[in-house]
Amino acid sequence: MGLGAKVSSQHTLLWLSCFASALVLVNAKLIGPTRFDYYALVLSWPGGHCLHNDCHNSFATEVNDFHISGFWAMDKDNKVRTYCNTSAEFDPNKLGPLRPALDEAWPDSKRGDLIDFWRAQWHKYGNCDPQSIPDEYTYFTKALEFFELVNPLDALAKKGLLPSSWDVHDTHSIYSTFIRAYGVRPQMYCKEEGQGHVADHHLIQVRFCISSDGEYLHDCPQGGNCKGELFIPEIEYSRASYDDL
């Protein structure tokens, strides 16, 4: 082989090497983690949720505790990251060992097909970091693990902050209860019924914040919209229960 051929061959190898490196970088951008700051474990209270949303007739009375309604990748300004990787696949067979826990902890308030419901959750919220949460099994397992760590209803009951459609509770007292019980500050979200000074504020959600690697609970950034006094509506007064009358 002549000198010119050798140089040409070396140039070709160098070009191919650079091209391969570029493909790796592009691929990393496509499937690598989308930058976000924390996960939010979103827990809904059915008594409040079903007052302000369409639920299946029996949902609130059957699911009579806080339940998972999301496990979201979040920015520090409380913006939800969605559809991070639209090419991510979903294999329902991987959820087989989790089904009993998922059926109880992460139900669909409309009582639709659960596999379709969980598939939608995974595609929209669940594939933002393929390094720490590489597949649907890990995603749902992480959500269930942190769900087992917190029990908002139990923490509130121990302080006498019971669901009631007649007794109001101080928002600060509820925050303080969660901080003492779990060592972290969550976010709380309410829905308003009525207007002005006569409006009722109903607790809808409590969100606990988790490190972006999915390893530990930590304080949530400032957020939530509950303030002043609020109701934790009893299950029996939910819209779903009225539909059964």
Side-chain angles (χ1 to χ4, degrees):
M1 181 182 293
L3 179 60
K6 288 183 178 179
V7 172
S8 177
S9 177
Q10 289 173 350
H11 284 170
T12 300
L13 289 173
L14 180 61
W15 182 86
L16 288 173
S17 177
C18 291
F19 182 71
S21 297
L23 283 178
V24 170
L25 288 174
V26 170
N27 192 50
K29 289 182 179 180
L30 289 175
I31 65 173
T34 299
R35 296 187 66 84
F36 61 95
D37 294 292
Y38 66 96
Y39 284 103
L41 179 67
V42 184
L43 306 181
S44 292
W45 171 246
H49 175 81
C50 290
L51 269 176
H52 297 273
N53 297 276
D54 292 328
C55 294
H56 185 275
N57 287 351
S58 62
F59 178 77
T61 52
E62 292 177 357
V63 183
N64 57 359
D65 201 345
F66 282 91
H67 63 277
I68 302 174
S69 58
F71 189 53
W72 302 342
M74 306 285 293
D75 290 338
K76 60 185 177 183
D77 60 357
N78 297 317
K79 179 182 178 182
V80 185
R81 289 284 183 171
T82 58
Y83 301 109
C84 298
N85 179 9
T86 56
S87 65
E89 297 181 354
F90 179 83
D91 181 0
N93 293 320
K94 290 184 177 180
L95 302 186
L98 305 177
R99 280 302 303 267
L102 278 176
D103 288 351
E104 182 176 351
W106 202 331
D108 176 11
S109 63
K110 297 183 184 299
R111 288 297 195 225
D113 182 85
L114 281 174
I115 292 298
D116 289 341
F117 173 66
W118 294 327
R119 178 185 289 109
Q121 293 289 314
W122 164 248
H123 282 311
K124 188 171 183 179
Y125 303 110
N127 48 81
C128 288
D129 186 357
Q131 294 177 4
S132 62
I133 299 185
D135 57 24
E136 54 272 63
Y137 178 82
T138 309
Y139 172 72
F140 288 101
T141 297
K142 284 288 184 183
L144 289 171
E145 287 175 352
F146 283 102
F147 180 68
E148 289 298 317
L149 286 179
V150 296
N151 188 334
L153 188 59
D154 181 64
L156 293 171
K158 287 178 178 177
K159 295 297 181 181
L161 301 169
L162 300 173
S164 170
S165 294
W166 313 110
D167 298 328
V168 295
H169 302 296
D170 178 65
T171 298
H172 178 74
S173 295
I174 296 177
Y175 270 123
S176 297
T177 295
F178 290 144
I179 292 171
R180 285 194 296 268
Y182 305 114
V184 295
R185 179 183 176 87
Q187 295 174 343
M188 298 196 306
Y189 288 83
C190 293
K191 284 284 183 73
E192 187 175 284
E193 185 171 300
Q195 296 181 344
H197 67 280
V198 296
D200 292 336
H201 296 86
H202 298 145
L203 180 65
I204 304 296
Q205 285 181 358
V206 178
R207 300 180 186 178
F208 288 91
C209 298
I210 298 155
S211 60
S212 60
D213 59 4
E215 291 300 320
Y216 57 89
L217 290 166
H218 63 67
D219 284 340
C220 291
Q222 291 296 321
N225 64 355
C226 297
K227 55 186 179 180
E229 295 182 329
L230 59 81
F231 289 95
I232 307 173
E234 287 181 283
I235 299 293
E236 63 183 297
Y237 292 102
S238 70
R239 180 183 297 171
S241 297
Y242 285 134
D243 289 342
D244 288 335
L245 297 178

